[in-house]
Structures are given as structure tokens and as C-alpha cells.
Amino acid sequence: MRDINEASREAYVAELRFMVIPDTAAAETALFAGELDVLPDLESSRVEEAKSRRMTVPSTHGLSWTAILLQTKDPLLSNAKMREALAHGRKPAQGGKET
């Protein structure tokens, strides 16, 4: 009996090609031109455009960190208590739970 965590080695496509496109705009242009089938890091501002072009845009809540960069030389934000208050005042992601 096969372990459910074991990866299948069955191929579902005849050919698979990976392309590295370091420029986000070029990658999105290639996707919209039909030159790519998958773009894992579509900018969130372009999701509605992709959907309007009848593209499937799956999404899920992730467990990744998001950095918020603050200018700590600013008189107001140089106060650690102010930055702490901002951190505690943010809302959790829609559908997510704060831990």
C-alpha cells in the first residue's frame, strides 16, 4: 500500500518547460499574451485584469511573513510605543485568525 505522503511519478503532460523571467512586468505581459500558462507571483493589483480575461486565479491564505517598513527617524514613529500600538491595531487578514 502506498503512503499518502509519497509523491506520484505519473506524468500528466507531454512536455514541461520552466522559464525564469526576473522582471515582473515582462512576466505579466507574457502571461496576458498567452506565452505562459502559470505565473505564481501575479501582482495583486493585476488579479482583476486576469479575471476579466477569463483566467483562473486561485488563491489561498498563506503562512508567510509580511514586512511593514516604518521610518523610525520620523519624530512620531521614533517612539517604540507608537510602533507597538500600530502593530497591535492592525486587523487580521479577511477569513484569517489572529494568533
Side-chain angles (χ1 to χ4, degrees), residues 15-95:
E15 181 182 340
L16 182 63
R17 183 173 58 145
F18 288 92
M19 296 173 53
V20 176
I21 305 174
D23 179 57
T24 303
E28 290 172 352
T29 300
L31 177 70
F32 293 139
E35 297 171 8
L36 298 177
D37 294 320
V38 177
L39 180 61
D41 295 322
L42 180 66
E43 293 289 330
S44 59
S45 62
R46 304 294 299 270
V47 168
E48 290 307 316
E49 181 181 355
K51 288 180 178 179
S52 73
R53 293 174 182 239
R54 302 178 54 100
M55 294 180 177
T56 302
V57 184
S59 64
T60 184
H61 293 287
L63 298 175
S64 63
W65 288 90
T66 300
I68 300 175
L69 304 176
L70 299 173
Q71 170 52 279
T72 58
K73 292 181 181 178
D74 178 273
L76 189 60
L77 295 175
S78 65
N79 183 335
K81 293 288 185 188
M82 175 60 82
R83 295 192 307 271
E84 186 177 320
L86 288 170
H88 288 287
R90 69 173 180 77
K91 293 181 181 179
Q94 185 177 359

